[in-house]
Amino acid sequence: LAGLALLAYLDVSAHLDESMTVDEGIEAARPLAAEIKRRIREEYGLSASVGISSNKFLAKLASDFQKPDGLTLIKDSDKVAFLRPLPVSAIHGVGPVTAEGLRTLGLMTIGDLQDTSQPLESVAGSFAVRLRERAFGNDDRPIDLSDERKSISAEHTFLNDTDARPALRAALKKMALDVAQTLRKHGVGALTVQVKVRYTDFTTLTRQVRLEEPVTTDREIYRIACHLLARHQLVTAPLRLIGIGVSTLVAPSQQQLRLPI
DNA sequence: TCTGGGGTCCTAGGACCC
DNA sequence: TCTGGGGTCCTAGGACCC
C-alpha cells in the first residue's frame, strides 16, 4: 500500500487571548490539536502527528519529532535548547550541499550555528541570514493561502536511453497533453516553454523560449518543444529523460494592448 | 537511494535601455 | 568612440522540498 503524507499549517493566534504570553498561547492550543487528532482518527481511521509552536519552522519540527501519532509542543522558552542538539540538516532549506559546506566550517549541529560568529554567506548565500534566524528558532513567514501555480511540467525517464524519433515524439506528445490539461484546469496560458533532456551520463540541459502570446494547447506546446530541441540540437545522443515545462503563467486570452496614437 | 516526478527559489551572465 | 552606472528582462543551471 502506498503511503500518503499531508502537511497543513494552522494559524490560531487570532483566537488566543491578547494577554497571554507566547508560551501560554502554545499551551492553550493543545486541546485543539488533540481534537484534530481525534477527529482525523474517527473520520478517516488515520493517525496524525501535530506540532505546536510559535512559527511554521518550529511547528513542522515539532510535528516530525514523535512521528507516528505524536503531539509535541515547543515553547518559546525552550526553543533554543530544543534546537541545539539537532543536525543542521534539520533546518528546512539545508540539504546535502549546504550541510557539507557548513561541515567544512566545523558546524554540525544547530547549536554550532547558534554559537558561531563566522560569516555563513560563503556556503549559504543569501540564505545565510535566514539560516542564523532558524538556528535560534525565529521564523516570520506567514501562512500562505494562495494556490497560484508558477510553473507546470512533465517529464519521462526511458527504460532504455533512446534517440529514436518515434519514441521521443510519442513521449513529447503525451507530456504536451498533460501540461495543456493542467493549464486548462487552472485556466491559464503560458508565455515560456521549456524542454529538458538528460543524457546517459546524467548530464541535464534545459532550453526555453519566451513567447509574445500565451500558449494553451498541446499542439502548440508540442510544436515549440520540437522546435527547441531542433534549434539547440539536443538530440545528438541517446536520452535518458525528456521533459516539457511551461512558466510565466498568465490569463489565456491576454491580448497585447495597443495604445491608440 | 547510482539517481522518479513535479514543484519553488536563487544566482549569474548577457542583452538592452535610459 | 569610449566612458559610466543602474535597472529590468531573459536564459540556464543548481539546491532543495515533498
Side-chain angles (χ1 to χ4, degrees), chain A residues 47-116:
Chain A
S47 70
S49 291
V50 179
I52 306 174
S53 195
S54 53
N55 59 52
K56 286 172 70 173
F57 167 60
L58 291 175
K60 167 105 164 62
L61 222 50
S63 77
D64 287 336
F65 200 62
Q66 299 173 292
K67 222 11 186 165
D69 205 29
L71 202 178
T72 305
L73 277 67
I74 303 177
K75 294 194 180 183
D76 239 40
S77 50
D78 297 335
K79 63 184 183 183
V80 175
F82 179 92
L83 290 166
R84 275 197 81 78
L86 301 181
V88 292
S89 58
I91 295 174
H92 188 94
V94 177
V97 175
T98 307
E100 173 58 22
L102 291 171
R103 198 189 61 76
T104 64
L105 297 179
L107 308 171
M108 323 281 270
T109 67
I110 298 182
D112 293 336
L113 279 176
Q114 291 172 359
D115 297 338
T116 190

Side-chain angles (χ1 to χ4, degrees), chain A residues 220-231:
Chain A
E220 291 171 305
I221 294 167
Y222 171 76
R223 186 179 58 77
I224 295 165
C226 289
H227 178 72
L228 280 169
L229 290 171
R231 182 183 354 153

